[in-house]
Structure formats: structure tokens, C-alpha cells
Amino acid sequence: MGSVWSGIGLRLAATGLFAVMSLFVRLASFEAPVGQIMFWRSSVALIPIVLYLMWRRQFPRGLRTARPFGHLKRSTFGLVSMFFSFLSLAYLPLALATALGFLAPLLVLPVAMIMLREKPGMAVFTATFAGFGGVFLMLWPTFSTPGIDTGVLIGIGAGLAMAVTTAFAKVQIKALTSTESSGTIAFYFAVICSLGGLLTLPFGWADPSPEILMWLIGAGLTGGLAHIFMTEALARAPASTLAAFEYTAMIWALLLDVTVFGLLPEPVSLFGAFLIVLAAAIVMFGDRIGVPVPKPDIAAVQTQSKPGE
């Protein structure tokens, strides 16, 4: 149980860092294209990742891997997911883009059950579907408003595509943690995403102002730290257990929309946010009210994904 609780704490910390990263990405998107943002976010993220590996005394030794194709598969899903995520943030408010991202935890449940053989309990199912209901309420004011412009539709479409690819990326991370360290996973992900972003250079990059450059660097630093925390969390607790705690990102998104952009949410959106927080609380305190919370099934992970795949 101690391992599960440490995983939950790390996931909550990662959620806060990812929210700040999303803010920096949205601010940078006012001037820089998505590919350029991806390059800066990923290349700068290598700084905290390498420092983390050095602190763990795993650099450069920790970069050796027997599963290069596993890293390539995980990073490919992550690269596509990052592109759609940043595209969504470029067109939508933080709260709406974050709400679309919450479709991913719902998709993680069946994927984790099939690929990792996890057995989430009723508390996890209840919390996840309650959180999904909160996401629906968050989206309702947007869909009920006539005359949605093209940019909003692009952002919503990108958010839906991001949710699908994110679900598969997270399950692949969980499979890799059976043999690979979190720093190694984060390092190769950042390298591959940096190369992917760099390939967009011929399509035109902006000459960023000092302010935009600050947002680009900030996105990389916070993203690198968040990725390490998230990977460590998945190494300690089942993906299905951590799914509900991702909903706490909505609180950050709402606060940042209000304080930075002056966007006040509709009452129905606030009620949706309440459901999202309630979903996380159900899993967090489920064991205290007699509801079983699943523990990591490491044997299933090792059976499902062997070294070298």
C-alpha cells in the first residue's frame, strides 16, 4: 500500500507541473508554431532529466537499454500525443483543452485491463465514470453555444486525437517500467520528440521575442520534471488507480484561466469540476471506507511485455 500512496503523491505533483507547462505552451503558441514548441519543450526537458540521472548515478550508464523498440513505440505514441495536445492548447482555453485530455484516463481502463491484466475495483470504475461525467459538463457550454468557429473545432478534434494516443502511451510506459528506469524512459522520449519537432523547421519557425523564449524554456523545464514524476508514479501504482487523480488538473486549469486570461467558467462547468475532484477523492479514500483499491500487478507487466520487445 505504501508504494501505491507514493505513486499517488507523485502523480499529483506531476499534474501540477503539467498544468504550468500547458500554460507556458498556450502563451508560446500566440507566436510560435506547434513544431517549434515541441522542440523547445523536449530539448530543454533533457536538462532536468540528465540531472535526475546524474543524481541517481545512472548517467550515462542508465541510458543503456535492452528494449530500444519498446522506447521507440512509447515515444512514437507520446510524440503524436504531444503534437495534438499542443495543437489543442493553441486553439482552446486551458480548461477546455484539459477537459478533452480527461478522455484518456477513461480509455486507460480497458487498455490496462487488456494489455497489463490489471483488475481495477468498483471504486476505480465509479471514480473514472464520475470524472468523465464532469468532463461532459465542462464541455457542455461550448457545444451548446451556436456558431462555433473553425479554430475551436480544430482544437476539439486535436484534443480527442490526443486522448486516444495518450491512453496507449501511458500503458506503454507502465510496461517499460518493469525493466527500465523512469529516467531512461524520459530521456529517450525527450530525444525522439526533440527530433520530431526539429523536422518541422523547414515549414517555418518564428523568431521568438524574449518573452516567448521564456515561455518556451519554462515549458521544457516544467515538462521534464513532470514527466519524471509521472513515470515514477506509474512505476509504483497501477495505471487504473492513478487515472482518477489526473482529474485534479482541472482545478489548475480553471485557476490559470481565471488568473492569467480572465476567463470565468460557467456554473455548469464548476459543477463538472466538482465531480472531477470527487472522482479523485473516491480512489484516495476508498480503502478507508472498505472499498478495495488495486495494487500493481508487476508479474502481469513482465508477462505481457518482455525485454527486447
Side-chain angles (χ1 to χ4, degrees):
M1 178 57 69
S3 176
V4 173
W5 284 109
S6 65
I8 290 172
L10 287 166
R11 190 62 185 91
L12 289 172
T15 299
L17 288 168
F18 273 128
V20 177
M21 183 206 73
S22 296
L23 171 64
F24 291 154
V25 168
R26 176 150 178 80
L27 291 171
S29 69
F30 295 151
E31 185 175 315
V34 172
Q36 184 176 7
I37 299 174
M38 288 176 59
F39 171 78
W40 279 92
R41 182 264 186 248
S42 302
S43 58
V44 175
L46 287 169
I47 297 175
I49 291 172
V50 170
L51 290 175
Y52 171 76
L53 289 170
M54 294 174 64
W55 176 68
R56 295 287 301 270
R57 297 183 179 180
Q58 296 176 347
F59 187 84
R61 173 179 53 84
L63 302 185
R64 293 195 297 267
T65 177
R67 305 177 64 185
F69 292 108
H71 285 285
L72 180 61
K73 183 164 58 174
R74 176 270 177 275
S75 297
T76 300
F77 280 125
L79 172 65
V80 177
S81 176
M82 180 184 291
F83 172 81
F84 284 125
S85 174
F86 289 3
L87 184 62
S88 179
L89 286 168
Y91 285 101
L92 301 176
L94 291 175
L96 182 52
T98 302
L100 288 172
F102 285 139
L103 293 174
L106 184 64
L107 295 173
V108 164
L109 274 176
V111 174
M113 291 174 66
I114 294 172
M115 297 182 63
L116 303 181
R117 302 179 187 177
E118 291 183 0
K119 299 177 180 179
M122 185 57 66
V124 175
F125 274 109
T126 302
T128 301
F129 280 100
F132 182 74
V135 171
F136 176 80
L137 293 177
M138 289 289 301
L139 290 172
W140 177 250
T142 299
F143 286 121
S144 62
T145 301
I148 301 178
D149 61 34
T150 304
V152 173
L153 292 177
I154 292 174
I156 292 175
L160 293 173
M162 178 265 294
V164 175
T165 51
T166 296
F168 283 95
K170 288 180 177 177
V171 171
Q172 187 60 31
I173 292 173
K174 180 64 177 177
L176 282 172
T177 55
S178 63
T179 59
E180 307 290 287
S181 71
S182 59
T184 304
I185 297 172
F187 179 86
Y188 287 114
F189 173 69
V191 169
I192 291 176
C193 288
S194 296
L195 294 175
L198 188 61
L199 290 176
T200 66
L201 180 59
F203 297 98
W205 281 11
D207 184 14
S209 63
E211 182 180 16
I212 296 298
L213 186 61
M214 180 174 63
W215 304 140
L216 291 170
I217 295 173
L221 293 176
T222 53
L225 290 172
H227 189 83
I228 291 172
F229 284 15
M230 182 189 72
T231 309
E232 285 284 352
L234 286 167
R236 288 166 168 77
S240 52
T241 299
L242 297 176
F245 293 94
E246 299 186 33
Y247 294 128
T248 58
M250 184 55 64
I251 304 301
W252 287 97
L254 287 169
L255 289 174
L256 292 173
D257 267 343
V258 171
T259 57
V260 179
F261 302 106
L263 299 176
L264 297 175
E266 298 286 340
V268 65
S269 296
L270 289 176
F271 183 69
F274 169 76
L275 284 181
I276 290 168
V277 175
L278 179 62
I282 289 173
V283 174
M284 179 175 289
F285 300 108
D287 60 332
R288 298 185 182 181
I289 58 176
V291 180
V293 177
K295 297 177 175 60
D297 191 353
I298 300 301
V301 174
Q302 294 172 335
T303 302
Q304 187 68 25
S305 181
K306 300 177 178 63
E309 290 183 347

